[in-house]
Amino acid sequence: MTIDEQSQNLYEDDPEEEERYLETREDEANIAVASFWQLIWWRYRRHRVAVFSTFVVIVFYLIAAFSEFVAPYDPDAKFVKYKLHPPTPIHIVDADGNWRMPFIYQTIRERDPETFRNNYHEDTEIIHPIRFFPKGEEYKLWGEVTATTKLFGLDVPHEEQGFFLLGTDRLGRDMFSRVAYGARLSLSIGLIGVVISLVLGILLGGLSGYYGGTVDNIIQRVIEFLRSIPSIPLWMGLSAALPPGWPILYVYFSITVILSFIGWTGMARVVRGKFLQLREEEFVMAARFSGSGELRIILRHMLPSFLSHIIATMTLAIPSMILAETALSFLGLGLRPPAISWGVLLQEAQNISAVAIAPWTMVAPALMVVIAVTAFNFMGDGMRDAADPYASL
């Protein structure tokens, strides 16, 4: 008797229950023949918050990769007439109550005679539509490709009207452009730093767990020594060792190496524990008895068995790297101007008067850090849950 005949006899009076029964049997059949990575993907996509966070992370990295295209202005361009300009309001309904495509009003600047501060007002008689993919000033994408198209902007020159999505700082620089450019350094430091930490952690943790004995003792003592040093003094000491006259590129890679040097110990502990658990398993013993070399056993048999766990751990480690870079740059120990990162932008928060007058100069980069770290954490939680696909499929 076939499955359809069995379900027809069992649920002949309830067709909806029969349909659910057949769907369950079909899902079980698919799970039985699915690959390990298919099971991980099926489990991961059920975590809706993690999927949405993955989308947010992808958008952030696209902004970082194409920051010249996304930013409406050069991040170092100073608009003297727009110093401490608040975020430009975007409208879809004009003063007469008519619906329009997104637009902004003409900005009128007035100087307060008592405080000498600039006050900005909207002239509702003049409307500037927001254009997508407008032609602007020439720039070089990634420093190589010449282009003039921007993601969004206005049809009028910035001398006549500026469009500042996140306002401007005390020098008149567009905060949205600076945040977009800062994403490139902050996010890439987190990614590159985690990759270096991953390589060091797998290498040293694998040696420690696979061979044990003297090798294990030496590596574990080094890990314990590094983890016993307070993070802030260690950062200060290593950052102070950097020559002050180094170019931005040298400082960038040096900060990445510093963060990686500190961050590999946690991954090494995880890998060591997994190797200690797996080196006596039957499939490892079988590979060893069949004549496989130790490097092949580690790379082809042991490492893939918990690769999904490593990916989840790496995803959760990226936010820590981003926060570490932000903290170093905020304290003046990491990247410094004219480099642009979220931590460098947050240095403006040390100027109390600027924060009191223009809080958006601090909120903009801080909000980007919060969103990026939160998205990475949710994505890492989803990957960590999906790393064991047989738990509840």
Side-chain angles (χ1 to χ4, degrees), residues 128-241:
H128 299 288
I130 299 174
R131 305 297 186 187
F132 289 95
F133 309 111
K135 298 294 183 179
E137 297 179 357
E138 186 177 285
Y139 64 92
K140 287 189 176 294
L141 186 63
W142 307 309
E144 299 292 337
V145 182
T146 302
T148 57
T149 304
K150 292 287 188 176
L151 177 61
F152 63 90
L154 304 178
D155 290 334
V156 296
H158 60 78
E159 292 83 3
E160 299 180 16
Q161 175 62 46
F163 177 38
F164 308 112
L165 198 60
L166 297 178
T168 62
D169 62 9
R170 56 191 175 89
L171 298 178
R173 296 173 297 190
D174 178 40
M175 286 302 301
F176 181 83
S177 299
R178 292 179 65 77
V179 166
Y181 274 81
R184 177 171 293 178
L185 283 183
S186 294
L187 295 178
S188 61
I189 277 184
L191 192 60
I192 296 173
V194 165
V195 170
I196 297 175
S197 298
L198 181 69
V199 173
L200 290 174
I202 290 177
L203 177 63
L204 298 177
L207 291 174
S208 178
Y210 187 79
Y211 291 104
T214 304
V215 175
D216 184 29
N217 286 329
I218 293 174
I219 294 177
Q220 292 308 305
R221 299 297 81 76
V222 172
I223 291 175
E224 290 171 359
F225 173 74
L226 291 177
R227 293 177 71 91
S228 66
I229 302 175
S231 298
I232 297 297
L234 181 60
W235 289 343
M236 294 176 64
L238 294 175
S239 298

Side-chain angles (χ1 to χ4, degrees), residues 7 10-24:
S7 63
L10 289 172
Y11 307 108
E12 57 183 1
D13 297 331
D14 192 349
E16 293 183 359
E17 188 67 26
E18 178 184 1
E19 184 178 354
R20 286 194 292 269
Y21 171 77
L22 292 176
E23 289 178 354
T24 302

Side-chain angles (χ1 to χ4, degrees), residues 23 86-87 90 106 129 155 159-160 162 183 186 228 238 249 251 264 267 296 305 310-311 315 337 341 353 382:
E23 289 178 354
I90 299 176
Q106 177 73 31
D155 290 334
E159 292 83 3
E160 299 180 16
S186 294
S228 66
L238 294 175
L249 189 63
V251 175
W264 67 270
M267 176 63 69
R296 179 181 176 84
S305 64
I310 291 177
I311 294 174
T315 307
S341 73
S353 60

Side-chain angles (χ1 to χ4, degrees), residues 222-367:
V222 172
I223 291 175
E224 290 171 359
F225 173 74
L226 291 177
R227 293 177 71 91
S228 66
I229 302 175
S231 298
I232 297 297
L234 181 60
W235 289 343
M236 294 176 64
L238 294 175
S239 298
L242 300 179
W246 269 13
I248 296 174
L249 189 63
Y250 289 8
V251 175
Y252 167 77
F253 282 107
S254 299
I255 295 300
T256 304
V257 170
I258 289 173
L259 297 177
S260 304
F261 178 73
I262 299 172
W264 67 270
T265 56
M267 176 63 69
R269 283 281 178 88
V270 172
V271 173
R272 173 183 178 269
K274 291 292 184 181
F275 271 56
L276 288 174
Q277 177 185 351
L278 294 174
R279 68 180 183 179
E280 304 299 333
E281 293 288 337
E282 294 180 356
F283 70 93
V284 176
M285 301 297 291
R288 187 178 292 119
F289 290 146
S290 66
S292 297
E294 293 181 345
L295 184 61
R296 179 181 176 84
I297 292 174
I298 292 174
L299 297 180
R300 294 294 300 274
H301 297 281
M302 299 180 71
L303 198 58
S305 64
F306 63 97
L307 185 60
S308 57
H309 182 79
I310 291 177
I311 294 174
T313 304
M314 181 180 68
T315 307
L316 290 170
I318 292 177
S320 301
M321 290 287 183
I322 295 174
L323 289 174
E325 182 277 326
T326 303
L328 280 175
S329 299
F330 174 76
L331 295 173
L333 303 174
L335 297 171
R336 304 178 183 89
I340 303 174
S341 73
W342 290 341
V344 172
L345 296 180
L346 280 173
Q347 287 183 6
E348 191 72 17
Q350 298 179 9
N351 188 335
I352 303 300
S353 60
V355 174
I357 297 173
W360 55 84
T361 59
M362 179 191 67
V363 172
L367 187 61

